[in-house]
Amino acid sequence: FSVTPAPIAKRRRGRSLLLSKKPPTVVIKQDSGCGLGKAAISKEDLYASMKQVQDQARAWDSTRMTLVKRLQEAERNHGVVLLMKDGSMPVAVKKMPKKWVRATVDEFESRYPTASEKPWVDMGLSKCLRN
C-alpha cells in the first residue's frame, strides 16, 4: 500500500486536501475558521481506516436510496457518479464495478499497484474525516 504525493486537489468550501511531498502523511488544511484546524493522518491510521471500511462493507440495499440523476462519468474508476436521495437527504454516490474495487484493500493494491485512482484510499479518507 502506498499514497502517492499529488498537487493540491480542488478547493471545496474553503478546504484543500494536500498530500505531502514525503509520503505517507496526508494533511488536511482548513482555512475557513470552522474548527477543523490542521490534522495529519498517518499511513497507519489511513490503512486502519481502509480496513475498517473493508470489514464493515455489506450488500447494497437497493430500497434505501432513490436515483435522482446521473452527475458524471468516473472514467478512471470505471464507474459513474450519481445524485441519489437517502430519505430526503441528497447524497452523491460513486458507483464502481466490484472487479475494479476488488474485495479487499490488499487485493486492490496487489492487482493495481500503479493505479492513479485508489478507491480504498478515498473511502478510508472519508471515514477518517467523518470521525
Side-chain angles (χ1 to χ4, degrees):
F1 162 76
S2 65
V3 176
T4 306
I8 296 173
K10 292 180 183 176
R11 290 182 55 83
R12 298 249 165 101
R13 295 185 185 124
R15 294 181 183 158
S16 296
L17 176 63
L18 304 172
L19 297 179
S20 82
K21 299 206 182 257
K22 297 178 183 176
T25 303
V26 178
V27 177
I28 313 306
K29 180 182 176 192
Q30 173 62 35
D31 55 8
S32 67
C34 62
L36 183 63
K38 274 190 174 179
I41 302 169
S42 70
K43 178 179 180 179
E44 293 77 18
D45 288 343
L46 178 57
Y47 186 75
S49 181
M50 291 170 17
K51 292 296 253 183
Q52 287 175 356
V53 169
Q54 169 192 299
D55 295 342
Q56 295 168 357
R58 58 189 180 281
W60 175 263
D61 179 359
S62 61
T63 63
R64 182 175 161 192
M65 294 192 201
T66 55
L67 176 64
V68 175
K69 68 179 180 177
R70 182 185 202 115
L71 295 175
Q72 70 181 48
E73 294 296 316
E75 294 174 9
R76 291 183 298 179
N77 280 309
H78 312 282
V80 62
V81 179
L82 306 168
L83 176 62
M84 301 186 88
K85 283 203 172 184
D86 184 0
S88 62
M89 180 182 292
V91 294
V93 174
K94 186 183 284 186
K95 182 179 175 183
M96 298 172 283
K98 285 190 242 180
K99 69 179 183 178
W100 161 247
V101 177
R102 311 307 264 190
T104 68
V105 173
D106 297 326
E107 185 182 340
F108 180 88
E109 284 300 321
S110 86
R111 178 74 171 100
Y112 304 109
T114 61
S116 63
E117 292 291 323
K118 304 228 179 234
W120 289 103
V121 171
D122 295 345
M123 291 182 279
L125 280 172
S126 291
K127 182 164 182 54
C128 283
L129 293 172
R130 279 193 311 262
N131 292 341

